[in-house]
Amino acid sequence: MYFQLFWNFFKLGSFTIGGGMAMIPFIKDIVVEKEKWLTEDEMIDCLAISQGLPGVIAVNVATYIGYRLKGIKGAMVATLGVVMPSFFIIIALIKFLSELSDNVYIDGAIKAIKSAAAGLILVAAYGIGKSTLKSVSKVLIAFTSFALVGFVSINGLWAIVAGIIIGIGTSYYEKWRDR
Amino acid sequence: MILTLFLGFLKIGFLGFGGGVAMLPVIFRYGREIAGLSQNAFDEMVALSQVTPGPLSINAATYIGYVSKGFGGALAATIGVVLPSFVLVIITSHFIETYKNSLIVKGALDGVRPIVVALMAVAAMLIGKGTLINGELIFYCITIGTMILSMKFKVSPIVIIIGAGIIGALWELNF
């Protein structure tokens, strides 16, 4: 089990090019669909927490899932797995730094990978959106925060804070109403 | 010196709300102080981060640590930058597990889910923006092809990423 955790997060760490969100399609594929470690709802909670805390999404996700499955040791193993690929790749490539970033083939490959990553994230967002945005108000909240973060450049953290406040407010309001 | 590296990146790890880019100026200032990192070397490191897997702030920690103190330095800096979030995530996860049936936790998670969907859409837009705007037709084809392969044919993301990388590199051969 520890090896499984390590190996799967090692794979996640190896294929995450283009930022933490690029990891989500892989998490969905490996953690939710193949290994069934989390349900989709639990994965969304994990993403929310990972975005709302300091640090990098990829590491936060690994720590969270490792901890949920196997406690502190699991968290360590998963975090080690996700960090290790970039750690060794950077050390191995440090001498070829300037040549690498000027290489046209690598540049082409990376542009293509990022284009694919954009598509993968959109597909994942659509899938998660379909199961999450079940009421008009949630659709409105999602679109409003998309517009604010995407086009007005408001920090995503504030959107998360607002979501938490709205959510807590709603659950208390519903309790009061149903009394 | 290794302890200084560790503590320095521990501090950076605490600051990094919302991902790597926000941490860049702090990392640069620190890299200049501790490792004598020039603007040029810093730009190269950022460029390298774009073409290697892994989050920028972790790559930067590994890089600055290695340049200033070799393998041990790289290890100390990387552990330092990861440790704060590691501890905070465990505490938060523990708290949520314990109070998961309370109104506060339930409400908070319920409220934050639509935001996560929105942030994913923003991330897709930002990643796509760099390559798709003013980009060549091939990149649009890759994005759309990816969506079809992933949704209709359930092709694994790993296969798609490797395939896209190969196509992108071959495209530059211009044959």
Side-chain angles (χ1 to χ4, degrees), chain A residues 6-113:
Chain A
F6 175 81
W7 177 237
N8 277 314
F9 277 99
F10 187 86
K11 276 195 288 190
L12 286 172
S14 309
F15 285 96
T16 308
I17 296 179
M21 282 293 188
M23 206 184 172
I24 294 169
F26 295 96
I27 297 174
K28 201 163 172 277
D29 184 53
I30 294 176
V31 176
V32 178
E33 275 150 30
K34 288 209 183 88
E35 301 286 351
K36 299 194 167 39
W37 284 339
L38 297 183
T39 65
E40 197 173 82
D41 269 353
E42 286 171 329
M43 181 188 84
I44 300 166
D45 296 345
C46 160
L47 292 173
I49 293 159
S50 303
Q51 281 252 327
L53 290 176
V56 209
I57 298 173
V59 173
N60 293 355
V61 166
T63 309
Y64 182 86
I65 294 175
Y67 183 73
R68 282 286 308 273
L69 292 176
K70 282 276 159 201
I72 303 260
K73 266 194 228 159
M76 287 168 81
V77 167
T79 307
L80 193 67
V82 87
V83 171
M84 223 176 190
S86 45
F87 183 79
F88 284 110
I89 289 173
I90 289 286
I91 289 182
L93 295 182
I94 235 160
K95 296 189 181 78
F96 312 103
L97 216 62
S98 43
E99 290 118 82
L100 256 179
S101 39
D102 293 337
N103 186 305
V104 285
Y105 302 112
I106 291 179
D107 188 56
I110 294 302
K111 275 190 194 151
I113 286 175

Side-chain angles (χ1 to χ4, degrees), chain B residues 32-52:
Chain B
R32 201 173 44 195
E33 279 166 22
I34 202 117
L37 194 69
S38 66
Q39 178 73 48
N40 206 15
F42 184 74
D43 291 344
E44 275 180 4
M45 185 209 71
V46 174
L48 182 71
S49 277
Q50 306 294 319
V51 300
T52 56

Side-chain angles (χ1 to χ4, degrees), chain B residues 27-124:
Chain B
I27 293 176
F28 176 53
R29 194 159 11 106
Y30 188 70
R32 201 173 44 195
E33 279 166 22
I34 202 117
L37 194 69
S38 66
Q39 178 73 48
N40 206 15
F42 184 74
D43 291 344
E44 275 180 4
M45 185 209 71
V46 174
L48 182 71
S49 277
Q50 306 294 319
V51 300
T52 56
L56 183 56
S57 53
I58 294 182
N59 291 349
T62 309
Y63 177 87
I64 294 173
Y66 192 82
V67 170
S68 53
K69 270 284 152 205
F71 190 81
L75 210 57
T78 309
I79 294 174
V81 85
V82 168
L83 201 56
S85 44
F86 183 81
V87 174
L88 282 173
V89 169
I90 288 180
I91 293 172
T92 311
S93 157
H94 192 82
F95 173 83
I96 287 176
E97 226 12 66
T98 316
Y99 297 101
K100 68 177 167 200
N101 293 319
S102 72
L103 272 184
I104 291 188
V105 169
K106 262 194 193 154
L109 290 177
D110 200 50
V112 94
R113 280 177 198 148
I115 311 288
V116 172
V117 176
L119 292 181
M120 287 176 68
V122 173

